[in-house]
Amino acid sequence: MTEVTYEGLTFVPYITRKEIEARVAELGRQIVADSKGTTPLFICVLNGAFPFASDLFRAVEEIDAEITFVRLKSYEGTGSTGKVKELVGLSEDIKGRTVIVVEDIIDTGKTMHRLVEDLRSKEPADVKIATLLFKPDALVCPVKPDYVGFNIPTKFIIGYGLDLNGLARNLNDIYILKEE
Ligand code: IMP
Ligand code: MG
C-alpha cells in the first residue's frame, strides 16, 4: 500500500483490507447474536455503503435476513453540504420489522438522523444502525450507532466505498488525507 492521489490531494494508508475484514466478521457475530428470533431487513445506504453492506450481509449467514437499498446524498467534495437529498427511497413495508441501517460512515449524523426519523414514521419494530466508520467529534445530531467498525478522528478518508467526488470507492483499503 502506498500513497494515492485524487484531484491533487494525497492520501496515505489508514485501515487495511485485512483489518476491515476482521472487524466486519466481529460485527457480523454481534448482529447474529442480537438477532435471534427476528428476520432483520438490512437497509444499505447507497452509494458509499455497498462494499461494507455486501461483506456484512454475508457475515450473518447463520440467520435469516433480507437486504434492500436506499440512495441518499449529502457530500460534495471533501465536506458535508448539510442538506440530505433522497435519490432513491425505500420500497419495502417495514411495519413491525427489525431494520438494520448499514452506512459507510457517520460524520455530522445528519444523513442518518434524517433517515432514521423517516424509517421510524413507518412503524418498524426496531431500527438499528451499523456503520463501518464513526467520527464522534463531528456529530451534531442525536444519533447513536449500535454497531461501529472503527471510531476515527474528524478527517477526510476514502476507499472501500468512500469517495472523493465519485472516485476511490474501488480501493480495497481505506486511506486518510495526508497532513502537509
Ligand atoms: P453526515 O450526514 O455528515 O453524517 O455524512 C454522512 C455521509 O457523508 C456519508 O454517508 C458519506 O457518504 C459522506 N462522508 C462523510 N465523511 C466522509 C469522508 O471522510 N469521506 C468520504 N465521504 C464521507
Ligand atoms: Mg454514505
Side-chain angles (χ1 to χ4, degrees):
M1 273 166 72
T2 48
E3 293 181 356
V4 293
T5 304
Y6 291 91
E7 299 189 351
L9 299 174
T10 302
F11 294 82
V12 293
Y14 187 53
I15 305 173
T16 65
R17 172 71 211 171
K18 255 200 136 97
E19 290 166 330
I20 297 169
E21 260 169 32
R23 193 66 190 118
V24 170
E26 278 171 25
L27 295 180
R29 284 192 287 274
Q30 280 179 37
I31 292 173
V32 167
D34 293 348
S35 301
K36 294 272 151 65
T38 69
T39 301
L41 175 66
F42 285 55
I43 301 178
C44 169
V45 184
L46 295 171
N47 292 335
F50 85 92
F52 175 47
S54 166
D55 288 339
L56 185 66
F57 190 58
R58 287 173 298 154
V60 300
E61 63 177 352
E62 289 156 53
I63 55 168
D64 284 341
E66 293 177 43
I67 189 164
T68 189
F69 303 85
V70 295
R71 182 158 178 221
L72 305 175
K73 186 178 161 77
S74 67
Y75 249 59
E76 299 281 355
T78 60
S80 174
T81 60
K83 285 190 216 101
V84 185
K85 271 192 274 181
E86 183 180 271
L87 303 177
V88 179
L90 188 71
S91 42
E92 285 74 7
D93 180 12
I94 58 168
K95 192 168 179 178
R97 297 199 60 176
T98 295
V99 303
I100 302 178
V101 181
V102 183
E103 248 298 23
D104 49 359
I105 188 163
I106 297 177
D107 182 25
T108 63
K110 285 178 185 164
T111 306
M112 188 53 77
H113 186 65
R114 146 90 197 264
L115 178 59
V116 167
E117 295 268 281
D118 230 61
L119 294 174
R120 285 201 200 286
S121 72
K122 301 178 198 295
E123 300 173 48
D126 198 3
V127 179
K128 291 192 164 145
I129 299 172
T131 187
L132 179 68
L133 299 145
F134 184 36
K135 298 181 187 170
D137 302 331
L139 197 67
V140 299
C141 287
V143 166
K144 211 185 152 293
D146 302 274
Y147 307 101
V148 175
F150 303 92
N151 283 307
I152 64 166
T154 308
K155 302 253 171 70
F156 188 73
I157 59 168
I158 55 167
Y160 191 67
L162 292 142
D163 71 307
L164 174 61
N165 291 328
L167 297 179
R169 295 196 199 275
N170 52 341
L171 298 177
N172 282 234
D173 306 275
I174 291 175
Y175 294 73
I176 194 161
L177 190 59
K178 189 176 180 178
E179 312 268 358
E180 293 301 340

